[in-house]
Amino acid sequence: MVESEGREAPSSTKATSDVLALGLDVGHKRIGIAGCDRTGLIASGITTLHRSSFERDVEQIKQIIQERDVEVLVVGLPYSMDGSLGFQARHVQKFTKRLTTILQLPVEYVDERLTSYQAEQMIIAQKISPSRNKGLIDRFAAALILQQWLDIRRQKKKSDREKTP
């Protein structure tokens, strides 16, 4: 499930296949950050931001956005298992609204249910201790969120092409 908020992602003057997106897994203590290759095929974790203050968090995210020429933020929205928006989801929306107001970037939300669990399982499979690598879990979760968005976007474009005569 992908929801858009804010202004539409700009139609870039770059090649139409370019994807300039940043994935965020927003938590109370950390924000996992992921990026993708310009083709929009592969998402990968970039870093984990250890939260201190809203202003500092914004500055660090802004620096990454400028370095990567980001045009859209993809934020994981932690729906409850029943599909409702709980406390954490509202907290993420509030943070994202404040962030995008400052950054003037469009945002798209992706249902992130179970991404942290999936990320933790990926780390365990690599024989890495999840309890000692919480930041790595957040980074992997951000990559899963962004990859989900990229896959949905690519599938939608493919479907749109098939519908066009």
Side-chain angles (χ1 to χ4, degrees):
M1 175 181 191
V2 176
E3 296 179 28
S4 293
E5 183 176 289
R7 59 192 179 95
E8 287 295 311
S11 54
S12 178
T13 56
K14 299 170 185 67
T16 55
S17 63
D18 277 5
V19 177
L20 302 165
L22 196 69
L24 302 178
D25 179 35
V26 180
H28 288 292
K29 296 180 182 178
R30 293 172 302 278
I31 299 173
I33 301 176
C36 60
D37 63 326
R38 287 188 176 269
T39 65
L41 291 176
I42 302 168
S44 57
I46 297 173
T47 190
T48 302
L49 182 117
H50 294 272
R51 299 190 63 184
S52 54
S53 70
F54 178 76
E55 292 76 18
R56 182 155 162 71
D57 297 346
V58 169
E59 282 308 311
Q60 290 179 317
I61 293 169
K62 188 186 290 187
Q63 183 178 353
I64 294 168
I65 286 169
Q66 289 169 345
E67 289 169 2
R68 298 182 69 90
D69 225 8
V70 171
E71 293 180 347
V72 62
L73 294 177
V74 178
V75 178
L77 197 57
Y79 286 89
S80 300
M81 291 313 279
D82 66 2
S84 65
L85 291 177
F87 173 78
Q88 183 60 22
R90 288 190 297 276
H91 175 75
V92 169
Q93 286 178 317
K94 182 178 175 184
F95 171 84
T96 303
K97 186 170 179 63
R98 288 179 66 197
L99 180 67
T100 56
T101 298
I102 292 168
L103 299 175
Q104 291 298 298
L105 282 175
V107 64
E108 295 203 33
Y109 290 104
V110 173
D111 183 350
E112 72 155 37
R113 279 180 280 193
L114 302 177
T115 55
S116 292
Y117 174 77
Q118 290 173 313
E120 189 172 321
Q121 294 306 305
M122 291 166 63
I123 288 172
I124 290 169
Q126 295 178 22
K127 308 242 186 284
I128 298 172
S129 168
S131 61
R132 292 191 182 133
N133 293 283
K134 298 288 188 191
L136 187 57
I137 292 172
D138 296 329
R139 197 172 330 151
F140 275 31
L144 289 168
I145 289 163
L146 183 55
Q147 189 66 56
Q148 182 180 341
W149 180 80
L150 292 169
D151 293 346
I152 290 168
R153 181 179 180 273
R154 193 170 42 256
Q155 196 61 33
K156 184 179 182 312
K157 281 187 173 189
K158 181 181 176 187
S159 175
D160 289 349
R161 279 193 309 268
E162 289 172 355
K163 290 178 187 173
T164 307

